[in-house]
Amino acid sequence: MEHRSGSPEAAEGSGAGAGSSRISRPEAEGSGISGPKAESSGISRSEAESSGLAGISGTSGSDPDARWLALLMHAAFFLLLGASLTRFLMRHPGEARTPWIIALSITLAVLYLLGPVLGSRPTPRRLTWLGVLVLVWMVLVVLAPSFAWCAVPLFYTGLRILPPRAALALVALLTAFVVAAQLRLATGFDPNLVLAPPAVAAVATAVFVHMQRQAVRQRELAARQRELIDDLLRTRRELAATERREGTLAERQRLSMEIHDTLAQGLSSQQMLLQAADRTWSADPDAARRHVRTATGIAERNLAEARRFVHDLAPADLAEGGGLEAALHALAARESAQAAGALTVHCHVEGTPHAPLPDRVQSALLRIAQGALANVREHSGATAAGLTLTHLDDRVVLDVGDNGHGFTVEPGGPRPTAGVRGHGLPAIRARVHQLGGTLTIESAPGEGTVLSAEVPLPTTPEEPA
């Protein structure tokens, strides 16, 4: 009786052995799931914190692909379990162990379904569940070797839940149990039963470990990319903030030079004229009135400049039309009138521009002339000064000369003497530098001063013939 029941079991055992050799297809399905799942779950940085196969659906998160892969893995397990039970019932109808096989199959299915409820981390409850799951499967394999087909999903379950060494030990134990059970029930020695299960287990484990390591590398690469993107965004924000600060400082410097060359100089002239009028009011009322009228004219010019600041910060002389040449002539005439004979300013233009000068060049040269004449009026003691504008092919040159007492030009540039206020020459130098030009100052004690600002002009491409 035992031999008679063993013979069909031997036939089933050989079938199971063949099935074991064909487990590579379900295993391929399982391995195809393991990699993306390991990547999508992102559970841990170490393999010891890997999630269990049964918990894959519970940790798939919001990734649609992970959910579909989890459903596919569950379907594969239940398909193998159902096929094994069907095979047993077809080969051994009405045997005494059939109720036990059915009950254990249902128990194995229920235990498998409980996996997601217990979570994905290797907690004591999770490990206990895995031990009971493996034990029930072992009993089924002892009673019916065809249930060895379910070994590959259990391989992945152990590899995901347990630390690496414990998982490999569990895989080896399951493989050895499958081989021993089938050899015991077989009628004779079959090398396929000895070699196929270890080969399948080795391939499944290698595929899983490779996929898991690839997932870890991809997560680390994604983390590094996020760090690089964060660094790039932070650098761009810092660069934008730096550019805003530099732009603000440059605008402040420009406004300070504009105010120094216009409003401050006009107010200084008004102060001197009003003080002179106050001193001569009793002795020479007519001269005092001339000083007051001149101060009134300066106030009108300053008012126009202030309004121009509010509008577009363009020089009032340029805004009135006529260009730079007309503005320089008007500046020379105004300075001569304000000096009331103490200083005579002449203006001379040489050459003809090939094209209108850019607005920023005209504005800067006019401000340079205003600042230079303010220095002449306040510090040089000169009686005559001249403005010379020279148009060349690729540049324009503004010369401001006087016959004052001069000074010694130092290599680092002229330094204001003690008690001298203002920053006219540094402002002039800054304006020339902003235009990419050069500033030259020639002076000596008792020989006057010549200030020369040379500004390059932008080249325009020739029109094609």
Side-chain angles (χ1 to χ4, degrees):
M1 184 68 178
E2 193 155 331
H3 173 74
R4 192 171 56 219
S5 65
S7 178
E9 284 296 276
E12 183 181 353
S14 63
S20 298
S21 65
R22 293 193 300 272
I23 290 178
S24 58
R25 182 174 180 181
E27 172 225 324
E29 296 177 1
S31 65
I33 292 175
S34 64
K37 176 62 188 79
E39 179 181 353
S40 62
S41 62
I43 294 171
S44 65
R45 294 184 180 273
S46 63
E47 297 175 351
E49 296 180 356
S50 301
S51 65
L53 175 63
I56 187 173
S57 62
T59 59
S60 58
S62 59
D63 189 355
D65 294 335
R67 288 197 299 268
W68 280 108
L69 291 173
L71 293 175
L72 179 61
M73 180 61 73
H74 287 307
F77 175 81
F78 287 108
L79 180 63
L80 292 173
L81 182 62
S84 301
L85 179 60
T86 302
R87 178 187 177 90
F88 177 82
L89 295 177
M90 292 176 60
R91 296 289 183 92
H92 311 284
E95 288 194 4
R97 54 182 172 169
T98 299
W100 290 99
I101 296 295
I102 296 175
L104 290 173
S105 299
I106 296 175
T107 302
L108 185 63
V110 172
L111 285 173
Y112 189 87
L113 290 174
L114 289 177
V117 179
L118 300 177
S120 60
R121 302 184 66 84
T123 60
R125 288 197 308 170
R126 184 78 166 169
L127 296 177
T128 303
W129 167 84
L130 178 61
V132 175
L133 185 70
V134 171
L135 180 61
V136 172
W137 173 81
M138 286 181 176
V139 175
L140 279 173
V141 172
V142 170
L143 296 177
S146 59
F147 284 92
W149 286 55
C150 301
V152 173
L154 295 181
F155 289 166
Y156 284 105
T157 303
L159 288 170
R160 288 180 180 276
I161 295 178
L162 299 175
R165 292 183 180 180
L168 294 178
L170 178 62
V171 170
L173 176 63
L174 296 180
T175 305
F177 185 83
V178 171
V179 173
Q182 294 191 28
L183 287 177
R184 185 175 62 84
L185 296 175
T187 56
F189 178 78
D190 187 352
N192 188 46
L193 300 178
V194 178
L195 300 178
V200 171
V203 172
T205 302
V207 170
F208 176 82
V209 172
H210 173 73
M211 292 295 182
Q212 192 176 49
R213 290 180 178 176
Q214 287 293 106
V216 171
R217 293 192 189 99
Q218 291 179 4
R219 288 197 296 270
E220 292 177 350
L221 178 60
R224 287 196 295 269
Q225 289 176 347
R226 287 193 296 269
E227 292 177 357
L228 291 176
I229 292 174
D230 292 341
D231 291 341
L232 177 60
L233 294 177
R234 182 169 57 255
T235 301
R236 290 180 60 182
R237 289 193 296 268
E238 293 175 354
L239 179 60
T242 301
E243 291 178 349
R244 286 194 296 269
R245 287 194 298 269
E246 292 179 352
T248 301
L249 293 176
E251 183 66 13
R252 288 177 179 176
Q253 182 181 9
R254 187 178 71 85
L255 289 176
S256 67
M257 292 187 297
E258 292 281 348
I259 294 173
H260 173 270
D261 294 340
T262 55
L263 300 180
Q265 294 174 7
L267 292 174
S268 177
S269 298
Q270 292 178 52
Q271 181 184 19
M272 290 188 297
L273 289 170
L274 292 176
Q275 289 175 350
D278 181 65
R279 289 192 300 268
T280 60
W281 191 267
S282 300
D284 191 353
D286 294 335
R289 292 187 182 93
R290 285 195 302 270
H291 291 323
V292 171
R293 286 193 294 269
T294 304
T296 303
I298 295 175
E300 292 177 356
R301 298 299 308 175
N302 277 2
L303 179 60
E305 288 286 356
R307 290 172 176 172
R308 186 59 56 186
F309 279 143
V310 175
H311 181 61
D312 59 359
L313 296 179
D317 289 328
L318 292 177
E320 293 175 355
L324 178 60
E325 298 177 5
L328 291 177
H329 282 287
L331 174 63
R334 188 165 59 252
E335 289 289 338
S336 298
Q338 293 174 5
L343 175 65
T344 303
V345 181
H346 300 280
C347 181
H348 179 65
V349 178
E350 296 181 358
T352 303
H354 298 284
L357 296 177
D359 293 340
R360 62 190 300 263
V361 174
Q362 295 188 51
S363 177
L365 290 178
L366 179 58
R367 296 305 190 200
I368 290 172
Q370 291 174 336
L373 289 179
N375 286 344
V376 170
R377 183 179 63 251
E378 295 184 11
H379 308 305
S380 69
T383 58
L387 297 176
T388 302
L389 181 66
T390 305
H391 294 283
L392 301 176
D393 293 335
D394 57 348
R395 61 191 183 277
V396 60
V397 182
L398 174 65
D399 295 320
V400 182
D402 65 74
N403 62 351
H405 50 66
F407 58 91
T408 301
V409 181
E410 299 181 2
R415 300 178 181 177
T417 58
V420 176
R421 54 189 172 82
H423 58 283
L425 287 178
I428 292 174
R429 193 179 302 276
R431 291 184 186 278
V432 176
H433 178 71
Q434 290 175 356
L435 297 175
T438 57
L439 178 67
T440 304
I441 301 177
E442 298 178 359
S443 181
E447 297 183 6
T449 302
V450 176
L451 181 148
S452 178
E454 182 177 327
V455 178
L457 297 177
T459 58
T460 56
E462 297 181 359
E463 294 292 334

